[in-house]
Each structure stands twice: as structure tokens, then as C-alpha cells.
Amino acid sequence: MSSESHFSYINAMTENKCALIHYGELSLKGRNRADFEFKLIENIEKIAGGAVRRHRGYFIMEDGDPGLLGKVPGISWYAEALAVDNDPDSIIGLVRDEVGRMFSGPALSFGVFARRPNKKFPFTSMELAGMVGDMITKSYGFTARLRSPDISVFIEIADKTYIFFEKKEGLRGLPTDVSGRVLSLISGGIDSPVSSYLMMKRGCRVDLVHFHVYADNSFVERTKMGGIFRRLNEYQLGTRVFLVPYYPFESSLLRLTDIAGHELVLFRRFMVSVSEKIAAGNGCLALVTGDSLGQVASQTIDNMALVRQAVSLPIFQPLITYDKQEIVDYAKKMGTYELSIEPYKDCCSIVSANPKTRARRDRILEIEKNMSIRKVIDETLELVTLCQL
Ligand code: ATP
Ligand code: MG
């Protein structure tokens, strides 16, 4: 798909412009399909602000901001289009005007890509493409070439005929709120914003929980974390963020000696335990973390198993098989990378001096007993605050 935009023309013609929206996996959903479609429509209207009409296999959005359709999970592709009656002369006339206005130059190549979901149209898609192609050659002297042409003319004949010159890729996945609510543990790093986003793309409503080093929860909003929360919120709106100070944990840990190398696993077990309680009280069915197998010392199978054993809720780890570069690419694409690399005083950087790659379970349980971990968890839960974006 071309990333270059040809859409200056859209502003010139207001009366029949619209956005054509196609969704992918939804069509696999059998009897639930209509529910999924209505949910997607609701999400599009909330995020992109237009009025959406439902047709068989596609939607049409009028008004709103088509640029925001790229932020709505569940859309496979979309296009800013011009709608015209299903009449060959009108179609050819509109393509002629638009191509003439948008493109000039002696040696341009073009391809016409027609589809005809509406079989009542009197010509096949091949026939229509041939007629439109002849017109372009005659009117402008351009050459037909189907492979990577300079100009792509897309024509979809449905309830009306939609003409467009660029297909934009959507996020794909499933619409927000069809898969249930989860609680995602988010740090100031690169990974967990991406794991949160990937869960959003699977139809989950993702609440966020962040553990921080400040004495006061309200301070977090003023750090880069505020920017990360808001960026993620663009994909689902109404995000709930739970903020948790980690000082009760830190001070109980400081009282102990001979725990060297175990801090990180202890901290991760503490975080999932607190998060599990928050999840239970707020309708979240699973926890999410940004672990990637073997990336750092806490992410060995042994240590992840020890963390997992601290709770009974499922822990989803969407990035478990991703390498760092793949995660960075995602973070750049969905817009959190630049925020994540800003300096930030994250709790992990404090507890992670020389972590053991293989903490011992008996030792971990003993330390937790010595630090009265249950009490620390309860004390921490008293300090949790919720803000809704
Ligand atoms: P990230 O880039 O997401 O911080 P990481 O590679 O630095 O990941 P760790 O620091 O070991 O890995 O953290 C693993 C996971 O634990 C994170 O992806 C996140 O889900 C969770 N986590 C870590 N620190 C915090 C925190 N301060 N608050 C909430 N969750 C956290
Ligand atoms: Mg981290």
C-alpha cells in the first residue's frame, strides 16, 4: 500500500466524500457477527467521530476524521473515497475528473482495480476496468500497468460505487470490548506499552497499573508516564489507570539482609500479587506483562515460573517470543517509543542490581515471610488510586 497521500482532492469535493471501511477477522465470527459489527461501529464513532452506516461486509463513515481510523482495532483497511451512483457513465466521468485534477506528467502509469460485490451492476469488474482504463489512456496518454503503477484507481461497486486512490492499512485484530477486560502491568520501558497495545488489538479493554517510586500518586501524571497513558488511550478511550506507590515494598525490603540477587523476582511477585487484587475488584479477568523470554535476568523460564506462582489469575505475555527490535518497531509504529526512551526513575532500575537468573523458590518464600509480604500487599492496596482518561 502506498504511504504517499493524494487526498488534497477530497477537500475540494465535499458532497460525496466518505470513508470506506473494511474489517477482517470479524467475518469469521458466525452468529456473533452482528454484535461484533455493532461494537466496531460504536468504537469507530467514538474514536473517529463520524456517523457510520453498516452494509454487507463493509461500513461507510460520513464526516468525522478518517485519519483516526488507523487507531481503531478491528479495521483491516480503509480509504477516503468518493461515492457515485452505480452508473458506468457517472463512474467514468468522476474518474476522469479526479485523475485530471490530481495527476499530470507525460509518462505516468496507472492500474484500475475494480471489484463488484453488487452483482446487479450491468458490467463485470473486468469490463468496467477496461472501460475506465481506455478512458484514462485516451484522455491523458497514461500507460496501463498493473504492477506498482504510479496511479492506482480503486473502484468498488456496492450499494453505491466508491472510487479511491489509496488503500490505508488498519490495525486489524478485534474491536475493543469484545474479548473482556484485562489489567496490564505497565512500566516506563519500551515493552509493556507494546504488550498493552497488542491486547487492545485482540479486542480486550485494557486497564493499566503502574508501580512508581514517588510518595504521591498524583506526581506520575506529570512524568512521561502521563504521555504513555494518553497515547495508549487513543486506541480505546476511557482507559482506567491504577497508580501504586512501591515504598511500602521498598522499606520492608531494606530491613532485610542477605537477599542479594532476589530483589527483582520478589518485586515482580509483589507487583502481580497487588495487581491480582486490583483485577479482582475491578472486573479484570487476566494480567498482562511485557516479558520477552530471555531478554533480561528476570525473564528466564525459572524466574517467570516463580512470578507466575504468586497468583492464580492467568498472566498473558504477548511479547514472549518477540526480539527487542520487533518490539521497538511496534513501539515506533504505535507511537510510544519516543516517550519510553525519555529518562525516568523506574522502580526496576532500583531493585535489579545483579539479579539471579535462577532464584530459589524456598529462599523467595522465606524472604517473603520475613518481610511480612501479605501485610505489605495490604498496606499497598490502601494507597492505590484510580484515574480514568
Ligand atoms: P518493560 O520495557 O516493559 O519495562 P523490561 O524488559 O524492562 O520491560 P522488566 O523490567 O523485567 O522488563 O519488566 C517486565 C514486565 O514487568 C514489564 O513488561 C511490565 O509488564 C512489568 N513491570 C515492570 N516494571 C513495572 C512497573 N514499575 N509497574 C508496572 N509493571 C511493571
Ligand atoms: Mg522495565
Side-chain angles (χ1 to χ4, degrees):
M1 292 191 194
S2 153
S3 59
E4 202 182 313
S5 181
H6 301 300
F7 289 112
S8 51
Y9 78 102
I10 289 287
N11 296 326
M13 302 199 50
T14 49
E15 69 280 10
N16 54 1
K17 75 171 184 180
C18 62
L20 172 66
I21 301 167
H22 276 259
Y23 43 86
E25 267 188 70
L26 282 192
S27 45
L28 300 175
K29 291 289 159 200
R31 283 197 306 138
N32 291 341
R33 180 175 165 148
D35 296 346
F36 279 64
E37 289 179 354
F38 287 124
K39 186 49 85 179
L40 181 54
I41 288 175
E42 192 185 312
N43 297 344
I44 293 170
E45 291 185 336
K46 261 198 270 174
I47 292 180
V52 177
R53 266 184 294 122
R54 175 174 174 245
H55 295 274
R56 233 184 119 84
Y58 64 96
F59 303 146
I60 295 297
M61 181 176 84
E62 265 144 23
D63 304 321
D65 181 352
L68 291 173
L69 292 171
K71 303 228 152 159
V72 186
I75 293 176
S76 55
W77 63 267
Y78 62 98
E80 292 183 72
L82 293 170
V84 65
D85 291 339
N86 291 345
D87 155 54
D89 291 338
S90 310
I91 296 168
I92 293 170
L94 186 62
V95 174
R96 181 193 300 116
D97 294 350
E98 290 308 308
V99 170
R101 232 160 41 73
M102 292 165 65
F103 305 101
S104 61
L108 290 183
S109 60
F110 71 92
V112 179
F113 306 92
R115 284 184 61 234
R116 187 183 60 144
N118 179 349
K119 301 293 179 216
K120 287 192 196 125
F121 189 73
F123 298 98
T124 66
S125 40
M126 291 289 281
E127 286 165 345
L128 179 69
M131 285 150 59
V132 171
D134 286 347
M135 175 278 292
I136 295 176
T137 306
K138 274 199 202 107
S139 307
Y140 304 109
F142 296 162
T143 323
R145 187 176 73 202
L146 289 181
R147 204 173 291 172
S148 320
D150 300 321
I151 308 166
S152 298
V153 183
F154 297 97
I155 304 175
E156 292 232 349
I157 305 155
D159 65 310
K160 289 193 159 218
T161 296
Y162 299 96
I163 295 167
F164 48 100
F165 297 87
E166 184 183 8
K167 271 184 173 184
K168 295 196 177 168
E169 235 173 302
L171 291 181
R172 302 180 187 279
L174 298 170
T176 303
D177 286 331
V178 302
S179 304
R181 189 181 282 275
V182 295
L183 182 61
S184 182
L185 284 80
I186 186 158
S187 72
I190 295 169
D191 305 340
S192 41
V194 176
S195 48
S196 308
Y197 160 83
L198 289 175
M199 293 310 296
M200 290 178 185
K201 255 165 60 85
R202 286 318 292 170
C204 288
R205 160 99 4 211
V206 180
D207 290 351
L208 305 173
V209 57
H210 176 63
F211 293 75
H212 62 84
V213 298
Y214 304 105
D216 182 347
N217 287 340
S218 65
F219 195 79
V220 177
E221 171 58 27
R222 283 176 260 150
T223 69
K224 72 173 191 183
M225 295 310 298
I228 293 176
F229 301 151
R230 284 192 294 279
R231 179 53 50 83
L232 284 168
N233 187 52
E234 291 172 9
Y235 298 91
Q236 64 172 11
L237 303 186
T239 305
R240 300 195 300 181
V241 183
F242 296 92
L243 295 174
V244 192
Y246 103 126
Y247 63 77
F249 174 83
E250 186 191 26
S251 48
S252 68
L253 200 65
L254 286 178
R255 276 189 252 117
L256 303 177
T257 50
D258 198 22
I259 56 168
H262 287 91
E263 296 91 331
L264 202 54
V265 169
L266 288 164
F267 180 52
R268 306 272 329 262
R269 282 169 61 92
F270 161 75
M271 283 197 295
V272 293
S273 303
V274 171
S275 301
E276 180 175 55
K277 291 270 178 356
I278 296 174
N282 291 281
C284 302
L285 306 172
L287 303 180
V288 180
T289 66
D291 296 296
S292 158
L293 184 58
Q295 195 192 77
V296 289
S298 64
Q299 297 173 9
T300 60
I301 295 182
D302 299 83
N303 284 347
M304 280 193 289
L306 282 173
V307 173
R308 176 69 192 78
Q309 284 159 17
V311 294
S312 52
L313 268 191
I315 301 181
F316 295 150
Q317 299 167 313
L319 302 177
I320 198 72
T321 64
Y322 286 37
D323 65 48
K324 195 72 188 185
Q325 191 56 47
E326 288 172 302
I327 300 171
V328 164
D329 290 346
Y330 253 118
K332 286 184 176 163
K333 207 165 111 187
M334 43 76 79
T336 52
Y337 180 76
E338 295 301 330
L339 292 161
S340 289
I341 59 175
E342 280 176 28
Y344 180 66
K345 211 161 113 195
D346 213 341
C347 325
C348 272
S349 50
I350 297 162
V351 289
S352 61
N354 297 322
K356 289 191 189 310
T357 51
R358 202 167 172 185
R360 276 181 27 223
R361 183 176 146 79
D362 53 350
R363 187 71 191 110
I364 289 281
L365 295 179
E366 193 185 349
I367 300 170
E368 284 180 345
K369 200 165 148 225
N370 291 342
M371 67 191 287
S372 311
I373 191 70
R374 291 238 181 84
K375 225 173 105 221
V376 176
I377 291 170
D378 288 343
E379 219 180 293
T380 303
L381 284 166
E382 294 288 316
L383 302 170
V384 175
T385 56
L386 162 64
C387 59
Q388 178 144 19
L389 301 187

